[in-house]
Amino acid sequence: MTGHAKLGALLWFSVVACGTSAHAQPQVIGAPPEAANMKLVGADGLQARSAYQPTIHHQGDRFIAYIGHHGGTDDIPMPVNPQTGKAEPNGTSIVDVTDPAQPKYLRHIPGQAGKYEAGGAQMVRICDGKDLPKGDRNAVYLLRTFGGEAHEIWNVADPANPVLITRITGLKDTHKNWWECDTGIAFLVSGAPDWRTRRMTQVYDLGDPAHPVKIRDFGLPGQEPGATGAVPTELHGPISTGPSGNRVYFGYGTNKGGLLQIVDRDKLINGPKEPTPENLRLPEISRMPMSALNGAHTTFPMKEMPIAEFAKDKDGSSRDIVMIVDEAILNECNEARQMVWFADVTVENRPMMISSYTVPEASGAFCERGGRFGAHSSNESMAPVYYKKMAFIAFFNAGVRALDIRDPYHPKEVGHFIPSITAATDKRCVTIDGRDRCKVAIQTNNVETDARSYIYIVDRANTGLHILELTGPARAVAGLP
């Protein structure tokens, strides 16, 4: 550690002893993470690439993390891959996390050349071939975006040696996809060239990944080709409950003009395909507009949640809940606070907001730390270990927050973890009086969990992957020993 880093660490420890004012200090290299009821198990720098979606897959006797990346930065548009010795556009990192304390970086698959969201391969989903209707039983398929121009499918049965299977090209943008492994149906967030919006949905049958079959284009009326007037807010991403649940929950908007749309999956897939306003309305069960100040990045369904408070009520003790997470996009709080919201959709045609959650800004002087402060995304695993009990929310410079959601009318934070910055952590700037003011802070971007109860967070500002576990009272919330 350099002399400056040692001094910074000493200063950090001295203000910790004085109480909450410690959190107002900038993060310094060498200081420990800030944590409550969560601890670090292992980490990987991910070749100092800006990270978006992590997906953890139980693959044979191993657990493999597949991590999507944004494009490069102005300072480093193409980081060097130490495994090849070459500068490569950010793409997909493949990491063996079987031993979470000793993650092993296996392979980087380069993505589209370009910076920030104009390049990379930020979205990734995984399906075993044996689960897909017409997949190769020996294959493991990786579905990823390729910058804004394509979706790709790779065979990662040998995760260190992926093989490209097919590409869906000719797009103007991509983003947060959903893939049903049991049916092969994929809801691809795309930018069809003739549509009036940057992002909408293309429904595909990827049951045979080598031969994709397009089912239809879908979006909000007014986004379709040939429409006139105002264009409704663009899609961010869907989550499907599959044939058994027969619902798809779409989130529109990012940090403003958000919208939750509940759609009949069967009517979406099997209904009339031509994108007329009438056909686009047909599968819709309801929509819930949000405030003009907030968006809908993630719309995570939790149907038939048992509510202890309602146990003796005549009409039942469970509720259908959708957790909606906004995305903060502007640095240093130069926008309305982006938060977590809980909607009761038990009566589907009358969804209603019932509660919200945010990190108290004063608990860490987060508006002053640098970078984004506010919600971005939640874990999306429906494995029983956490589903309907706990949610993990990526909150940019406030790290990851662990929520007790067993009573969604009263969500409660029970833990948090803010990683330490490293020499790789990238700066974030705001313009003040025509000049850039830049600060370095953690930017926890996305989060996922696995069936073993480990929590995986990745950093937008190039700090890499952190693997966490719950400690103390938070473990009891999930029923962990």
Side-chain angles (χ1 to χ4, degrees):
M1 187 184 297
T2 66
H4 287 298
K6 288 180 179 177
L7 177 60
L10 288 172
L11 289 172
W12 192 94
F13 281 114
S14 68
V15 289
V16 163
C18 296
T20 57
S21 62
H23 297 293
Q25 304 302 313
Q27 290 183 288
V28 295
I29 297 173
E34 301 165 58
N37 294 327
M38 300 182 80
K39 73 175 183 180
L40 180 66
V41 177
D44 188 276
L46 301 181
Q47 301 183 351
R49 301 179 188 274
S50 174
Y52 183 71
Q53 183 70 30
T55 296
I56 319 304
H57 190 61
H58 190 188
Q59 195 161 324
D61 59 356
R62 297 194 291 176
F63 284 81
I64 308 295
Y66 298 91
I67 299 157
H69 294 286
H70 298 291
T73 65
D74 290 332
D75 293 338
I76 308 177
M78 293 197 300
V80 172
N81 179 351
Q83 294 181 329
T84 64
K86 298 178 181 179
E88 296 175 353
N90 287 355
T92 308
S93 286
I94 304 176
V95 184
D96 188 326
V97 294
T98 307
D99 178 358
Q102 299 290 332
K104 299 176 182 178
Y105 197 98
L106 299 177
R107 183 69 181 264
H108 175 252
I109 312 173
Q112 183 183 35
K115 292 181 285 189
Y116 305 104
E117 293 204 13
Q122 57 189 311
M123 192 63 213
V124 58
R125 300 292 189 194
I126 302 289
C127 285
D128 287 324
K130 60 183 175 59
D131 294 332
L132 291 166
K134 299 179 182 178
D136 178 346
R137 293 190 60 80
N138 297 314
V140 177
Y141 295 102
L142 179 153
L143 169 67
R144 74 169 192 168
T145 58
F146 184 81
E149 71 179 38
H151 302 283
E152 294 183 337
I153 302 176
W154 294 69
N155 183 356
V156 290
D158 178 357
N161 295 286
V163 177
L164 180 63
I165 301 298
T166 192
R167 302 181 87 227
I168 299 169
T169 62
L171 306 174
K172 63 184 180 183
D173 206 355
T174 62
H175 205 47
K176 196 171 176 63
N177 302 324
W178 188 264
W179 193 11
E180 300 175 359
C181 294
D182 55 346
T183 69
I185 299 299
F187 304 90
L188 303 182
V189 179
S190 304
D194 53 343
W195 278 61
R196 303 176 69 217
T197 184
R198 183 173 64 144
R199 294 171 181 162
M200 35 68 76
T201 301
Q202 293 186 311
V203 185
Y204 269 82
D205 183 347
L206 301 182
D208 178 356
H211 301 94
V213 177
K214 185 177 178 181
I215 296 175
R216 69 177 296 177
D217 290 335
F218 181 72
L220 299 175
Q223 295 176 336
E224 75 277 11
T228 58
V231 181
T233 187
E234 68 189 25
L235 176 69
H236 203 281
I239 295 180
S240 171
T241 61
S244 59
N246 193 36
R247 294 293 180 267
V248 186
Y249 299 88
F250 290 89
Y252 295 85
T254 301
N255 68 330
K256 56 186 177 182
L259 182 73
L260 165 67
Q261 183 189 39
I262 305 175
V263 167
D264 183 304
R265 177 188 175 279
D266 181 70
K267 291 181 180 178
L268 174 64
I269 294 171
N270 298 311
K273 307 299 189 291
E274 184 181 356
T276 64
E278 294 76 16
N279 291 346
L280 295 177
R281 291 188 189 98
L282 179 64
E284 181 178 286
I285 294 170
S286 66
R287 63 174 70 177
M288 185 182 70
M290 299 178 66
S291 164
L293 301 175
N294 298 102
H297 177 286
T298 306
T299 49
F300 186 66
M302 298 175 286
K303 302 191 78 171
E304 298 183 354
M305 282 193 72
I307 311 295
E309 174 62 28
F310 302 157
K312 297 180 180 179
D313 290 5
K314 179 182 176 181
D315 290 334
S317 61
S318 67
R319 294 289 187 274
D320 294 342
I321 303 295
V322 176
M323 180 174 64
I324 304 169
V325 186
D326 314 328
E327 179 183 357
I329 67 170
L330 298 180
N331 295 333
E332 300 191 27
C333 300
N334 281 296
E335 62 187 329
R337 178 71 57 83
Q338 303 305 306
M339 301 168 54
V340 183
W341 309 86
F342 292 83
D344 186 328
V345 300
T346 310
V347 181
E348 287 187 299
N349 63 350
R350 292 291 187 273
M352 61 181 289
M353 211 73 81
I354 57 173
S355 64
S356 66
Y357 162 81
T358 186
V359 176
E361 192 279 333
S363 67
F366 291 111
C367 287
E368 301 171 18
R369 286 197 179 201
R372 304 184 191 188
F373 167 59
H376 182 203
S377 64
S378 72
N379 64 305
E380 297 175 355
S381 171
M382 297 180 188
V385 62
Y386 291 128
Y387 190 49
K388 302 181 185 180
K389 294 180 286 186
M390 294 193 70
F392 299 90
I393 311 298
F395 232 85
F396 289 116
N397 67 9
V400 64
R401 319 305 281 205
L403 303 187
D404 178 350
I405 59 169
R406 291 173 297 177
D407 178 0
Y409 289 79
H410 303 92
K412 179 173 61 176
E413 181 178 312
V414 294
H416 69 266
F417 188 92
I418 306 175
S420 307
I421 65 169
T422 70
T425 308
D426 193 26
K427 64 183 182 298
R428 292 292 185 266
C429 305
V430 294
T431 302
I432 306 294
D433 296 328
R435 301 181 65 180
D436 281 349
R437 182 186 71 199
C438 301
K439 298 179 182 179
V440 175
I442 281 296
Q443 294 284 269
T444 299
N445 206 29
N446 287 65
V447 55
E448 189 51 288
T449 57
D450 69 16
R452 302 176 297 177
S453 80
Y454 292 111
I455 304 114
Y456 301 79
I457 60 174
V458 296
D459 189 74
R460 195 182 190 97
N462 308 351
T463 318
L465 164 71
H466 297 85
I467 305 172
L468 313 172
E469 66 179 0
L470 295 176
T471 62
R475 295 185 67 82
V477 175
L480 298 172

